[in-house]
């Protein structure tokens, strides 16, 4: 997402979206999170964590040459009428044995089951092997049981016939063909997905080294905000942003160490920021109190910090933004309108966490049709809450950033680059699947 920086009203500096993502990444990387040690976790606790170092294979996979089929392990040369030469055209693993209609008789050897070490295969014999069982030494091809005559497993000492001309290597999964010993399996910074965790387990590892979870404090502000379950006065609203940010940051793999609300009182905010009643967060994520009003507590208190900035980012919603650093704690200040809070967390904080290696990848962006007419914004990236139906993105509700209930079913964001004029329904647009 680009988004042009420039001047915006109110004497604020205005900055592009990507530039602000980089600025958030910067404060996260300068926070105490960067100094904390990586940790080793058990695989059952590893899902969603960020790999701290390159993962290399301590063993090859497969660990030994094994069979890809239930069948007979043979010496390929035994099935060739000239007694040895492969037909190179038939060599490819998994291909049928070729045009030679002839059958070769072999003596049935002892059965090799998965999990058991087989005896070496004597010349002129065929050993029943099951999928995943080691190939007996001496054997170099597997004939699937359904191609044998009879097409069943016979007892040791019986005679079985297999098609002649078996290529060497047929249905053999060579040791190290997935990954060699010492080979690279995952780069640092990867999110540990179920398939990644399966691969790590297959390598015999019980634990994996991951980056520390980001410790996040969530801070909401405003005299008008009361907690859900409390009775608001005529001029009060329920705190939507604490629950919203909490859910979002947990989903991004962060550990929420404090959730606090302060009224529009500078002293209360200062006290909270220096409190040791809870585990010190690496990052505070705040909502509200940063724009042009008379009671902007976050902006007032944090503007006094040497390493702070309050500005406009060229996007809507989520225009007003702020950043600060207080003794190793980064403060990412998001605007208070609930949809602005949410969109800022999705479109700014999430990519910044991903770029810092503190959270999962940013959502996947695809190009797809919008289902309704949309309107671009001059000079600002417009981010539109949407629902994805598998083909098209449907806009939910209006553009205003108080419309949280209308946005509640959103599972996608439509991103319109700055510009003028309408985007008619059916036009391709950028859709981010959340
Ligand atoms: N004169 C100007 N006014 C405003 C501007 C501007 O540029 N000039 N920007 C507007 C935009 S855009 C946004 S977004 C908001 C951002 O304001 P703040 O971040 O200072 O947020 P607040 O004023 O504290 O609250 C805004 C709005 O959100 C509600 N809110 C706040 N916290 C919560 C919460 N935890 N749960 C639910 N709702 C919350 C609050 O009641 C307000 O309705 O400023 C515009 N104004
Ligand atoms: O940018 Mo505010 O975030 O429009 O509502």
């Amino acid at each position: 997402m680009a988004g042009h920086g420039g001047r915006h009203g109110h004497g604020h500096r205005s900055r592009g979206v990507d530039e602000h993502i980089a600025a958030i990444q910067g404060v996260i990387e300068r926070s105490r999170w960067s100094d904390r040690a990586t940790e080793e976790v058990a695989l059952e606790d590893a899902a969603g964590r960020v790999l701290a170092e390159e993962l290399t294979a301590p063993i090859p996979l497969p660990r030994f040459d094994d069979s890809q089929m239930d069948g007979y392990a043979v010496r390929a040369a035994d099935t060739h009428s000239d007694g040895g030469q492969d037909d190179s055209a038939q060599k490819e693993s998994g291909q049928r044995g070729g045009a030679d209609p002839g059958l070769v008789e072999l003596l049935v050897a002892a059965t090799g089951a998965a999990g058991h070490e087989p005896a070496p295969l004597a010349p002129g014999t065929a050993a029943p092997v099951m999928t995943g069982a080691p190939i007996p030494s001496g054997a170099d091809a597997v004939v699937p049981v359904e191609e044998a005559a009879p097409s069943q497993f016979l007892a040791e000492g019986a005679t079985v016939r297999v098609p002649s001309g078996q290529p060497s290597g047929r249905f053999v999964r060579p040791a190290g063909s997935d990954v060699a010993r010492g080979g690279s399996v995952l780069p640092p910074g990867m999110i540990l997905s179920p398939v990644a965790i399966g691969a790590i387990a297959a390598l015999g590892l019980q634990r994996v080294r991951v980056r520390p979870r980001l410790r996040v404090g969530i801070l909401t502000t405003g005299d008008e905000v009361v907690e859900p379950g409390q009775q608001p006065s005529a001029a009060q609203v329920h705190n939507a942003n604490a629950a919203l940010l909490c859910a979002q940051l947990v989903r991004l793999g962060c550990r929420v160490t404090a959730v606090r609300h302060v009224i529009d009182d500078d002293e209360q905010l200062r006290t909270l920021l220096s409190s040791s009643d809870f585990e010190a967060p690496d990052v505070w994520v705040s909502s509200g109190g940063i724009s042009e009003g008379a009671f902007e507590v976050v902006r007032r208190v944090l503007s006094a910090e040497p390493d702070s900035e309050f500005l406009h980012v060229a996007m809507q919603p989520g225009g007003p933004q702020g950043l600060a650093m207080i003794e190793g704690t980064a403060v990412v200040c998001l605007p208070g309108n609930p949809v602005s809070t949410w969109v800022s967390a999705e479109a700014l904080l999430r990519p910044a966490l991903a770029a810092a290696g503190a959270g999962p990848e940013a959502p996947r962006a695809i190009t797809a049709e919008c289902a309704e007419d949309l309107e671009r914004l001059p000079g600002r990236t417009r981010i539109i809450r949407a629902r994805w139906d598998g083909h098209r993105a449907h806009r939910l509700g209006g553009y205003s950033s108080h419309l949280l209930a209308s946005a509640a079913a959103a599972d996608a964001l439509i991103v319109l680059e700055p510009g003028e004029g309408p985007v008619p329904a059916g036009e391709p647009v950028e859709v981010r699947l959340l």
Side-chain angles (χ1 to χ4, degrees), residues 10 224 238-241 288-292 296 312 320 335-338 340:
H10 342 287
E224 79 281 22
H238 289 118
N239 190 346
N241 295 346
I290 61 171
S291 66
E292 305 294 320
E296 308 294 19
H312 267 271
N337 274 316
S340 307

Side-chain angles (χ1 to χ4, degrees), residues 164-385:
S164 63
Q166 295 291 324
S168 175
R170 186 174 184 225
F171 291 128
V172 174
R173 307 190 290 204
S177 56
D178 186 9
V179 62
R181 185 195 304 275
S184 180
V185 180
L186 293 166
M190 277 292 288
I191 304 303
L192 295 175
S193 66
V195 65
I197 290 170
I200 296 168
L203 291 165
L205 302 171
Q206 292 176 289
R207 304 178 73 75
V208 61
R209 188 157 283 284
V210 296
R211 295 196 182 147
R213 272 190 204 284
L214 196 69
R215 293 176 195 160
V216 179
I218 289 168
L219 167 62
T220 56
T221 61
D223 287 358
E224 79 281 22
V225 175
V226 299
E227 294 308 311
Q230 288 179 2
Q231 186 56 46
S233 73
Q236 288 183 313
V237 299
H238 289 118
N239 190 346
N241 295 346
L244 185 159
L245 285 173
C246 203
Q248 173 118 34
L249 288 158
V250 166
R251 193 171 160 188
L252 295 182
C254 302
R255 194 146 69 77
V256 175
T257 60
V259 183
R260 295 290 188 278
H261 184 80
V262 295
I263 58 168
D264 297 319
D265 176 87
D266 295 12
E267 213 34 56
Q268 208 184 88
L269 177 54
R270 282 195 204 99
T271 305
L272 176 70
L273 293 174
S274 58
S275 168
S276 51
D277 290 354
F278 41 81
E279 202 177 356
D282 305 320
V283 181
W284 280 107
V285 178
S286 73
S287 88
I290 61 171
S291 66
E292 305 294 320
F295 311 102
E296 308 294 19
V297 62
V298 170
R299 183 162 166 194
R300 236 179 9 234
V301 168
L302 294 181
S303 293
E305 296 295 324
D307 211 358
S308 70
E309 53 178 354
F310 288 86
L311 44 78
H312 267 271
V313 171
M315 66 184 231
Q316 199 284 322
Q321 298 287 336
L323 290 175
M325 276 295 284
I326 311 171
E327 291 169 14
T329 303
V331 190
V332 178
C333 312
L334 309 180
N337 274 316
V339 176
S340 307
T341 305
W342 172 60
V343 167
S344 300
E346 279 292 348
L348 299 174
L349 187 56
R350 182 170 169 179
L353 291 187
E361 301 92 339
R364 271 159 220 250
I366 58 168
T367 301
E369 284 179 19
C370 55
E372 288 83 21
D373 294 345
L374 305 173
E375 190 74 24
R376 289 190 194 85
L377 273 178
R380 281 188 291 166
T381 300
R382 175 163 252 172
I383 302 183
I384 302 164
R385 56 224 87 148

Side-chain angles (χ1 to χ4, degrees), residues 11-34:
H12 276 294
R13 259 185 334 117
S14 167
R15 136 188 307 171
V17 171
D18 290 341
E19 200 189 329
H20 195 62
I21 291 170
I24 299 176
Q25 178 189 351
V27 293
I28 290 167
E29 288 174 347
R30 284 186 283 126
S31 77
R32 69 171 64 78
W33 174 74
S34 297

